[in-house]
Amino acid sequence: MKLDGKVAIVTGGAMGNGLGIVKVFLKYGADVVIIDYSDKLQQTLQELQNPKVMGYKADIRDKNMLIAVVNDVIAKKGKIDILVNNAGIAKLQPFATMQDDIRDAHFDINIKGTWNMTQAVVPYMIKNNYGKIINLSSVTGPMVADTGEVAYATTKAAILGFTKGLAMELVKNNINVNAIMPGYIMTPMVDGIAKDSNASNPQSVINGIAAGIPMGRLGTIEELGELAAFLASDEATYITGQGIVIDGASTLPETKSVGV
Ligand SMILES: NC(=O)c1ccc[n+]([C@@H]2O[C@H](COP(=O)([O-])OP(=O)(O)OC[C@H]3O[C@@H](n4cnc5c(N)ncnc54)[C@H](O)[C@@H]3O)[C@@H](O)[C@H]2O)c1
């Protein structure tokens, strides 16, 4: 299988996109390490019931903790081949009145957390002259945005810059660095956005999102996991520094009126 013998770290793997990535990586034979700060982590590990997966409860804002976790993974597994920087948050608020703590939470987790995690892992990848790093960006920021998303969009655009800068620096070390740019994938984050909205029925918000996507539905965490597995595999060795869109054509329409 395409990830046999590989050791992967997935941040935010307790639920949502991260869990989809974990499941697909396990399906393809990888050993997977989940790093997540949620209490849900323990339950997820029990539900997966797979000796090839282990978890650490840690916050990616805590760099020293991440260094300790990575040292422990190296002691147990000997190497880290794949890093998926997936953990992230999204809280919608109008820019004009947004409190600094909301802005800082986005910057600290989505940008600095990804930075911390990567810096903890990269020295081992350089030593091995091998690595695949996959960062969760979004179509939100680099391509599109809705109201209330200024903080989130800023961080997701930053992740694309981070991906390109890092890819260039690590090309000589046989390390591929790419970003995934999802449109809407059905996860607890999206559920939260629907519940936080002013609509009386959150399901109507999800239905509204689906109606705006040419494929007529949100993506699944397994579809996202398959793309991550491809980028993490040795079938994708000549791809680096790229952002790959997976969005059911949500960013494709040029107009709402022209057509046959
Ligand atoms: N769901 C979507 O439609 C969508 C679209 C584009 C991009 N993304 C990106 O995909 C990634 C995952 O999103 P999701 O929808 O699965 O979110 P989610 O909220 O459903 O899950 C996020 C996971 O990350 C963990 N996490 C958050 N902050 C953390 C921290 N500081 N330290 C450790 N763990 C932390 C959470 O506990 C949770 O398990 C995010 O980076 C998000 O920006 C999601």
Side-chain angles (χ1 to χ4, degrees), residues 156-168:
K156 291 292 143 176
I159 289 301
L160 214 48
F162 175 75
T163 299
K164 288 183 185 292
L166 193 64
M168 199 53 210

Side-chain angles (χ1 to χ4, degrees), residues 12 15 17 36-37 58-60 86 137 152 156 183 185 187-189:
M15 64 186 92
N17 288 336
D36 202 302
Y37 70 180
D59 189 325
I60 59 167
N86 162 81
S137 174
Y152 180 72
K156 291 292 143 176
I185 311 291
T187 67
M189 177 189 277

Side-chain angles (χ1 to χ4, degrees), residues 126-150:
I126 290 176
K127 218 162 116 191
N128 256 0
N129 197 42
Y130 184 91
K132 308 278 180 191
I133 299 173
I134 297 152
N135 302 316
L136 267 289
S137 174
S138 177
V139 293
T140 307
M143 298 176 73
V144 295
D146 283 325
T147 58
E149 293 181 342
V150 178

Side-chain angles (χ1 to χ4, degrees), residues 199-239:
S200 53
N201 173 10
Q203 187 54 44
S204 70
V205 178
I206 308 277
N207 294 346
I209 293 170
I213 300 170
M215 286 195 189
R217 64 176 180 86
L218 284 72
T220 68
I221 59 171
E222 289 79 11
E223 287 172 316
L224 185 106
E226 291 289 345
L227 174 56
F230 170 65
L231 291 173
S233 76
D234 290 328
E235 290 157 12
T237 37
Y238 204 52
I239 304 172

Side-chain angles (χ1 to χ4, degrees), residues 13-65:
M15 64 186 92
N17 288 336
L19 180 56
I21 294 164
V22 168
K23 285 180 173 169
V24 175
F25 279 17
L26 288 170
K27 180 180 88 173
Y28 288 126
D31 280 48
V32 182
V33 177
I34 302 176
I35 297 177
D36 202 302
Y37 70 180
S38 166
D39 292 336
K40 179 104 203 310
L41 174 62
Q42 216 41 49
Q43 192 190 325
T44 299
L45 291 171
Q46 274 163 17
E47 283 167 10
L48 286 169
Q49 285 222 337
N50 190 319
K52 285 172 85 80
V53 64
M54 60 184 198
Y56 294 84
K57 191 156 190 265
D59 189 325
I60 59 167
R61 286 172 288 196
D62 185 344
K63 193 170 186 174
N64 289 332
M65 172 74 118

